[in-house]
Amino acid sequence: MPEFDLRFSKEQIASRIEVLAAQIDRDYAGKNLILLVVLKGSLHFASDLARKMKLDPPIDFIQLASYHDDTKSSGIVQLKKDHDMTIEDRDVLIVEDIVDTGLTLEYLRELLEARRPASVSCVSLLAKPDAHQREVALEYVGFDIKNEFVVGYGLDHAEKYRSLPFIAVLRNPV
Ligand code: PRP
């Protein structure tokens, strides 16, 4: 049986998301916002964040991958699925579950900036400042965490544990 060391409970996550949603609502009032959800890890975060927001922006998806069933980043970012809606002249808010090395966010920002949006910002539920290899702008962060591998609430280990309601360190990865 997997054993977990809890980092953020369901309740802690929910209350932090309420604060982020209110902040984003305020900052993007009157703007041409689009939420760009980075699959797959952000699925629960994006869903909860969007439903706490009052602005009701359009939502699109992009899929990138860098981890490949390991607990470490491969360092190579792959575009697996591009977004469908045009982002030209729109205020894009990237929705991420975690910014670890920062390579994915760096890649994504470059890709999107070339498509002439009005602005690009990012909200990430988690950030690992000690693991960042790049100084990428990250406008909204739910929680900073230590450089340890966490699962749950969208975050996986070999595609498992994404639907845990909490975020935890896996004690005995198998
Ligand atoms: C994770 C996470 C971020 C990225 C962060 O995605 O969702 O997109 O890694 O890592 P980085 O800052 O080191 O680039 P992953 O590649 O595991 O895909 P998944 O979301 O589909 O699990």
Side-chain angles (χ1 to χ4, degrees), residues 120-133:
V120 179
S121 297
C122 180
V123 55
S124 183
L125 180 62
L126 302 174
K128 278 187 189 174
D130 295 343
H132 292 354
Q133 294 175 15

Side-chain angles (χ1 to χ4, degrees), residues 8 11-12 18 46 49 52 123 148 155 158 172:
F8 303 104
E11 293 74 21
Q12 284 174 305
E18 276 198 41
L49 179 74
K52 281 291 169 197
V123 55
E148 56 189 8
L155 294 140
N172 50 346

Side-chain angles (χ1 to χ4, degrees), residues 38-42 63-68 73 77 96-105 154-156 159 162:
V38 184
L39 296 171
K40 298 182 237 180
S42 307
Q63 187 173 5
L64 303 165
S66 65
Y67 268 34
H68 306 300
S73 170
V77 182
E96 266 288 21
D97 53 336
I98 187 164
V99 176
D100 191 329
T101 61
L103 292 169
T104 302
L105 186 54
L155 294 140
D156 74 308
E159 294 299 330
R162 286 198 201 273

Side-chain angles (χ1 to χ4, degrees), residues 6-166:
L6 184 69
R7 288 297 178 267
F8 303 104
S9 68
K10 184 180 165 181
E11 293 74 21
Q12 284 174 305
I13 296 167
S15 69
R16 187 70 188 115
I17 288 176
E18 276 198 41
V19 174
L20 287 172
Q23 211 178 335
I24 293 164
D25 272 336
R26 266 197 315 276
D27 293 352
Y28 284 89
K31 293 197 171 177
N32 196 6
L33 173 63
I34 181 169
L35 294 184
L36 187 61
V37 179
V38 184
L39 296 171
K40 298 182 237 180
S42 307
L43 85 164
H44 300 305
F45 175 47
S47 168
D48 287 344
L49 179 74
R51 288 179 297 164
K52 281 291 169 197
M53 286 173 58
K54 296 199 167 58
L55 288 178
D56 191 23
I59 301 174
D60 204 348
F61 300 90
I62 191 164
Q63 187 173 5
L64 303 165
S66 65
Y67 268 34
H68 306 300
D69 296 354
D70 201 348
T71 58
K72 290 219 170 68
S73 170
S74 65
I76 300 162
V77 182
Q78 266 186 298
L79 176 62
K80 296 192 126 185
K81 179 213 170 292
D82 212 340
H83 59 84
D84 296 321
M85 295 172 175
T86 177
I87 59 165
E88 192 172 344
D89 297 330
R90 300 185 105 148
D91 295 291
V92 180
L93 182 61
I94 299 165
V95 183
E96 266 288 21
D97 53 336
I98 187 164
V99 176
D100 191 329
T101 61
L103 292 169
T104 302
L105 186 54
E106 179 185 62
Y107 172 94
L108 184 53
R109 277 185 177 270
E110 278 177 22
L111 182 84
L112 299 178
E113 291 290 0
R115 297 173 178 177
R116 298 189 302 185
S119 67
V120 179
S121 297
C122 180
V123 55
S124 183
L125 180 62
L126 302 174
K128 278 187 189 174
D130 295 343
H132 292 354
Q133 294 175 15
R134 295 289 191 277
E135 288 213 10
V136 278
L138 181 50
E139 285 76 8
Y140 307 91
V141 176
F143 305 102
D144 279 340
I145 59 166
K146 286 193 289 188
N147 196 2
E148 56 189 8
F149 188 77
V150 286
V151 296
Y153 197 71
L155 294 140
D156 74 308
H157 178 250
E159 294 299 330
K160 289 179 75 181
Y161 313 116
R162 286 198 201 273
S163 292
L164 293 174
F166 52 81

